[in-house]
Amino acid sequence: MDKAKVAKDVLQLVGGEENIDQVTHCMTRLRFNLHDDNKADKAKLEKTPGVMGVMKNGGQFQVIIGNDVAAVYKELSGAMSGGKRMEASSDRPKKKRNPVSALFDFISGMFTPILPAITGAGMIKGIIAILVAVGWMSDKSSTYIILSAIGDGAFYFLPIILAVSAARKLGSNMYIGAALGAAIMHPTITALLAPGDTVSFAGLPVLAATYSSTVIPIVIAIWIASYVEKAIDRITHSSVKLLIVPTVTLLIMVPLTLIAVGPLGSLIGNGLSGGITWLFDNVSVLASILIGGTMSLLIITGMHYALTPIVIGSITTLGYDFIIPLMFAANLGQAGAALGVGLRGKNKQLKSLGYSTGLTAVMGITEPAMYGVNMKFKKPFIAALIGGAVGGAFMGIMHVKSYVITGLVGLPSIAAFISPQISTLVYALIGGVIALVVAAAVTYFMGIKEDSEEDAEAEAVTEEIATPAAANTSAVAATLIDHESQQAAVIPAQIMSPLSGEVKPLSEVPDPAFAQEIMGKGVAIEPSEGRVVAPVNGTVFSVSKSGHAIGLVSEEGTEMLIHIGIDTVKLKGKHFTPHAQAGQEVKIGDLLMEFDLEAVRADGYETITPVIVTNIQNYNNLEPAGNTATQAGELLYKLN
C-alpha cells in the first residue's frame, strides 16, 4: 500500500482540509469530525485502494484502513498544513448534533488517544501475572515491584491522562486540565481525604474520596472546566490572559471538584460498577448472551465506547471486569465467520480473503473480516453474532472475568484473563473457541452467495483468457499446443508497452484481483491516448466481446493480459473498436484496439490498464524498466 497516496486520496475525498475539524485514529480507523459530512464522497472513498470501508457513527465520519492506519494517519498529518487540524479547531462553528451522537463522539475521542498507554500497561500487568503464576518471578522481588509500577502507573494516574485527553477533545487547554488532575491526585490531598477525617474548604465540607484510577470524576470536572475556562477567557483582556485564565480556572475548579464534582462522579462510577456486578451475579447467562451477541453491532454503531468507562471503573474498583471476555467472544465470532467464508467459498480470491481476514480477527483486528467479508455477504455476519452469543453464554456460565484492560481483544490479549486460578484463562480460551467454531459452522451451512460484481468481473476475464472465440478455435488450439511444448524451457522475454501513458504499480489498481496480483504480475498504465498495440511478437488468443480485455501468448511462451480500465465490461463494447481477433498473429506495435478514452472516463469508469503476465510462475522474476511514463512500443519490463 502506498500510504502517502491513500492519505492524499482520503484527504481529498472527505472534502479537503478545510472540511476537517478534527481527525484521530484508533487501531484500524481514521476518525474524522467534519464540518459538513455531505462534502465527503462516501462512494468513491469505498472504492479507493487502501480503504476497507466507510461509515458514519456517533457524529464521526470513519474511514477504515486496517493495520496500516497509523502510517496513513502520519502521512495525512503531514499533508495538512503541518497537521494544523489534527486537533479540534475552535475558530469555526460546530455543526449541530443530537446529544447521543455528541456523547459517543466525546467518549470515543477522549479514550481513543489514550488506548495505547492503558493497553500497554494492561499487557504488562498480564505478563507479570503469568510470570508469577508459573513461578518464574516472586511477588516479593524488586523486579516484580518495578514491573508492577510500570503496569500500574498509567492506571493510578489515569485521571491526569484522561484530563489531558478530555481537554484536548473539548478544545480547552490540555495543561490546565493536567494541572487539575494533578491537584486532586496530590499526595497531601490523598492523605487529607483519608476516610474518618473531617475536611472542609472555606467552611464547605469536603467528602472523603479516592481519585486514583478513577474515570468519571475527572471527566465531569474537565467538562465543566472547559466552560469555566472559556468564559474567563472571553471577559479577560488579552494582555493578562496568560496570568488570569489558568489561575482563576484552577482556583474555581479544584475546590469545586473536591467539594461536589468528585463525590458525585465517584457515586456514579460506583453505581455503574455495582449495577454491572449485580447483573452478572443474578442473570449472568442472559446478560452474556445479549452482550456477546450484540457487541459487533455496538462496534458498528460506535456505542461500544460507552462501555469503556464502565470497564475501566470495574477493573479499578473491583479488580475485574465481565465485558472484555464478551468482546473476546464477539471478535472470535467474526473470525470464525470469515474463516467459514474461506471454507465455503469457491472463488480462490474469496477463499484467500476469508482465511487472511479471519486470522487477523483472531489476533484482535476485526474490521477487515467484519466489513470486508462478513457484512458484504450478510449471512456470515449473522453467523458471527450467533457465535458471539453462544461463546458469551459459556463465558457467563463459567463467570469468566478480565483482570486487566486491553485495547486489542484477541489471542494476544489472553494474559488479561490470568488470575490466581488458571481455570479462568482456560475457560476464556474455550469460550473463544466455541464462538469461532459455531460462527464458522453456521456460515458454512448457511452458505454464501458469490455474485459480487468484482467476482463476476474476475471470472469473466479468466473465462475470456481460457476460452477463445469459437470461430478461431483451431488456430488458437494449434498455438496453445505449440506453447505447451515450450513451457518446460521458457526463455527470458522483453515486454514492450502496449499503451502510451503513466506507469503505475499494480497495487494502485482499484480491483483486488489485480492489486493483489492474484491473476498475475506486471504493471499498470494510466493511458494518455486510446490506442493499444501488441507488446510482443506472438498470437492473440482472446479478445473479449466487450473489447476491454485482450489475451496474447508470445513466441517465447509468455501469456499476457491487457485489461483496459476497471469494470469496463459493463460498457458491453461501447467506445471500443477491436482491430485484432483470436488466433491472429501479431508483431510488436501492431494495432490491437482503439477506444474513446475520454468517453470511457465520462461514463464514470477508471481507465487504468493492467498489463500482466498470467503464467508468471514460469519465471524467476519480473523486472520493470523503471520509467514513470512510457510510449507505446517502449520497453515496459523484462522477464527472467
Side-chain angles (χ1 to χ4, degrees):
M1 179 193 294
D2 185 340
K3 283 85 172 178
K5 186 177 188 306
V6 174
K8 180 181 177 182
D9 291 343
V10 169
L11 179 59
Q12 177 185 355
L13 293 173
V14 297
E17 181 177 348
E18 63 278 1
N19 193 38
I20 299 174
D21 177 56
Q22 183 184 16
V23 56
T24 58
H25 76 89
C26 56
M27 301 298 291
T28 56
R29 311 180 196 186
L30 294 171
R31 295 174 174 269
F32 291 92
N33 290 102
L34 302 178
H35 294 293
D36 185 355
D37 287 347
N38 294 324
K39 290 184 179 180
D41 194 329
K42 187 173 182 287
K44 285 188 177 180
L45 269 170
E46 289 174 335
K47 296 180 180 179
T48 299
V51 174
M52 294 180 175
V54 179
M55 58 191 299
K56 292 194 289 185
N57 279 320
Q60 290 184 330
F61 191 90
Q62 302 173 8
V63 180
I64 303 162
I65 302 294
N67 296 344
D68 293 318
V69 67
V72 173
Y73 177 84
K74 183 178 180 181
E75 294 289 347
L76 185 68
S77 177
M80 291 176 62
S81 302
K84 68 178 181 180
R85 286 199 180 97
M86 306 312 276
E87 303 288 342
S89 62
S90 58
D91 57 342
R92 296 187 61 168
K94 305 292 183 183
K95 62 181 181 181
K96 293 183 178 179
R97 290 174 293 174
N98 68 67
V100 175
S101 293
L103 177 62
F104 288 150
D105 174 48
F106 171 62
I107 293 174
S108 64
M110 175 177 56
F111 280 103
T112 297
I114 72 169
L115 281 178
I118 60 177
T119 297
M123 290 305 297
I124 290 170
K125 289 168 68 71
I127 292 170
I128 295 171
I130 293 175
L131 294 176
V132 172
V134 299
W136 291 355
M137 181 188 296
S138 168
D139 59 2
K140 307 297 182 183
S141 68
S142 57
T143 300
Y144 172 85
I145 294 171
I146 293 172
L147 288 176
S148 294
I150 296 173
D152 290 335
F155 294 101
Y156 185 85
F157 293 103
L158 186 60
I160 299 176
I161 298 173
L162 275 173
V164 172
S165 187
R168 170 184 175 274
K169 178 62 181 174
L170 292 168
S172 55
N173 190 293
M174 295 184 292
Y175 305 103
I176 295 177
L180 172 55
I184 65 173
M185 290 288 297
H186 195 281
T188 303
I189 298 293
T190 302
L192 186 66
L193 297 180
D197 294 341
T198 302
V199 181
S200 64
F201 177 83
L204 297 173
V206 177
L207 299 179
T210 301
Y211 294 106
S212 61
S213 304
T214 58
V215 173
I216 295 178
I218 191 65
V219 171
I220 297 175
I222 295 299
W223 176 64
I224 297 173
S226 68
Y227 288 97
V228 172
E229 178 189 337
K230 291 170 185 175
I232 298 169
D233 183 81
R234 280 196 300 269
I235 62 175
T236 304
H237 192 274
S238 59
S239 62
V240 292
K241 279 185 178 183
L242 182 61
L243 176 65
I244 299 298
V245 174
T247 303
V248 177
T249 301
L250 289 173
L251 283 174
I252 293 174
M253 285 310 305
V254 174
L256 181 62
T257 301
L258 295 174
I259 294 168
V261 175
L264 175 62
S266 296
L267 183 64
I268 295 171
N270 292 334
L272 289 173
S273 298
I276 291 293
T277 301
W278 181 91
L279 190 66
F280 281 93
D281 283 345
N282 292 275
V283 286
S284 176
V285 177
L286 177 60
S288 298
I289 291 173
L290 288 175
I291 297 176
T294 61
M295 183 60 67
S296 294
L297 295 174
L298 295 179
I299 291 172
I300 290 173
T301 60
M303 292 175 64
H304 65 297
Y305 276 105
L307 300 174
T308 305
I310 299 174
V311 170
I312 295 176
S314 294
I315 288 182
T316 54
T317 58
L318 303 175
Y320 56 81
D321 164 68
F322 291 103
I323 294 176
I324 289 178
L326 303 179
M327 291 182 178
F328 182 63
N331 285 357
L332 269 290
Q334 292 294 335
L339 293 172
V341 171
L343 290 169
R344 183 63 186 257
K346 297 177 181 178
N347 181 284
K348 290 182 178 180
Q349 177 189 347
L350 178 60
K351 292 177 77 70
S352 175
L353 185 65
Y355 290 140
S356 61
T357 58
L359 291 175
T360 302
V362 169
M363 304 307 289
I365 305 295
T366 58
E367 273 84 351
M370 187 186 301
Y371 297 105
V373 178
N374 299 339
M375 290 183 67
K376 176 181 178 181
F377 292 102
K378 298 181 179 63
K379 289 181 181 179
F381 185 73
I382 296 172
L385 299 183
I386 295 172
V390 176
F394 179 84
M395 300 278 197
I397 293 171
M398 306 313 297
H399 298 284
V400 178
K401 304 178 183 71
S402 172
Y403 295 88
V404 298
I405 295 171
T406 174
L408 193 65
V409 185
L411 195 59
S413 64
I414 57 171
F417 306 112
I418 293 288
S419 73
Q421 293 78 35
I422 197 70
S423 59
T424 302
L425 171 62
V426 175
Y427 292 144
L429 290 174
I430 293 174
V433 171
I434 289 173
L436 186 146
V437 172
V438 168
V442 172
T443 298
Y444 188 86
F445 288 111
M446 288 178 69
I448 55 174
K449 188 176 180 181
E450 297 180 61
D451 60 352
S452 69
E453 293 177 350
E454 292 81 5
D455 292 337
E457 170 79 357
E459 289 170 2
V461 173
T462 304
E463 185 177 351
E464 288 162 3
I465 296 171
T467 309
N472 299 283
T473 300
S474 58
V476 176
T479 302
L480 294 179
I481 291 171
D482 236 9
H483 163 54
E484 288 172 1
S485 67
Q486 300 169 2
Q487 276 191 341
V490 177
I491 61 175
Q494 290 189 335
I495 307 300
M496 304 302 168
S497 178
L499 295 137
S500 298
E502 183 182 355
V503 180
K504 297 187 175 184
L506 281 180
S507 59
E508 294 190 17
V509 178
D511 186 309
F514 296 110
Q516 298 175 18
E517 299 184 339
I518 293 171
M519 299 183 66
K521 293 188 177 183
V523 299
I525 300 173
E526 184 60 66
S528 57
E529 60 179 7
R531 192 169 182 272
V532 182
V533 301
V536 293
N537 296 329
T539 303
V540 176
F541 70 83
S542 177
V543 177
S544 67
K545 293 180 182 179
S546 58
H548 74 291
I550 305 167
L552 304 97
V553 57
S554 74
E555 293 175 347
E556 296 83 13
T558 306
E559 295 177 1
M560 297 194 63
L561 171 66
I562 304 169
H563 193 279
I564 306 167
I566 303 302
D567 287 340
T568 43
V569 64
K570 298 174 187 175
L571 288 170
K572 299 180 180 180
K574 182 182 177 182
H575 309 314
F576 290 88
T577 305
H579 290 278
Q581 59 183 357
Q584 179 178 331
E585 293 186 0
V586 293
K587 298 293 183 183
I588 292 173
D590 286 353
L591 182 62
L592 301 178
M593 180 73 64
E594 287 183 305
F595 61 99
D596 191 330
L597 180 64
E598 296 307 321
V600 173
R601 289 173 176 168
D603 281 349
Y605 293 91
E606 297 274 358
T607 54
I608 189 169
T609 300
V611 181
I612 63 173
V613 176
T614 56
N615 64 335
I616 193 66
Q617 68 276 5
N618 293 329
Y619 296 92
N620 288 327
N621 71 297
L622 182 148
E623 182 184 344
N627 46 332
T628 57
T630 186
Q631 294 294 318
E634 290 184 350
L635 178 65
L636 189 61
Y637 50 77
K638 296 179 182 180
L639 293 163
N640 300 313

